[in-house]
Structure formats: structure tokens, C-alpha cells
Amino acid sequence: MERDNFINALRSFYRERPFRQFDIELASGEVVRVVHPDALAFVGPRAVVMTLDGLTHHLDHQGVVRISSTNEPASAAAHGLKDSGLPTTDN
């Protein structure tokens, strides 16, 4: 995926209100689901996603094939991410 498309798509999904979960399809075929805005952090031209199973994914445009909406609202279970150490929108 082109770098600008990667950043713009992530920011667009991140800012959507009400927030809707979205999937990030990696070149490896793995799909990473972003279930809450607090599960996503931007680090320069890269992104960090924490999943509900506690895994952390460091992503850049070269490893991403597609970003798509699931049309599902933010996960209530994701509110536990506030205790994860990730920066949250409430901080």
C-alpha cells in the first residue's frame, strides 16, 4: 500500500465517530482487527495496534495490503486496553 494511502486510511478510520471496528490485511495474509480507537497509536509513518488477545502489531505501509471497515461498533471488551499502557484518547 502507498505510504500516504496507509496513513490517510488509518487516520480516517481512527477519527470516524461513532467509531467502527476495522480490519488491516497484511501482506502475510494475517488480518489485524482494530476494535477501539484506544487500540491504535501512530508513531511517525507507522502504526501500533494492540489486539484483544494482548498482541502488539507494528505496522508500516509496506506490510499492509488493505484496510477495510467491518461496520461493527467499538468493542466494549476493548475498554480494558486503558490498563495496557498504550496511550488512550482519554489521556
Side-chain angles (χ1 to χ4, degrees):
M1 174 176 270
E2 294 294 324
R3 180 179 171 183
D4 288 344
N5 291 343
F6 170 71
I7 295 296
N8 291 337
L10 279 180
R11 289 192 189 282
S12 177
F13 281 111
Y14 176 79
R15 292 177 178 148
E16 187 175 331
R17 296 295 181 261
F19 180 84
R20 299 282 180 206
Q21 297 181 39
F22 61 94
D23 289 336
I24 303 171
E25 183 182 340
L26 307 181
S28 67
E30 181 180 5
V31 176
V32 176
R33 178 158 293 179
V34 180
V35 298
H36 194 274
D38 291 343
L40 176 66
F42 295 93
V43 183
R46 295 178 178 84
V48 178
V49 177
M50 179 176 263
T51 57
L52 289 176
D53 57 4
L55 296 177
T56 303
H57 299 269
H58 298 261
L59 309 173
D60 65 21
H61 71 282
Q62 295 174 345
V64 174
V65 175
R66 177 184 1 251
I67 302 172
S68 58
S69 177
T70 66
N71 286 322
E72 296 177 40
S75 170
H79 290 288
L81 289 169
K82 290 181 181 181
D83 300 325
S84 69
L86 279 180
T88 67
T89 55
D90 295 337
N91 290 342

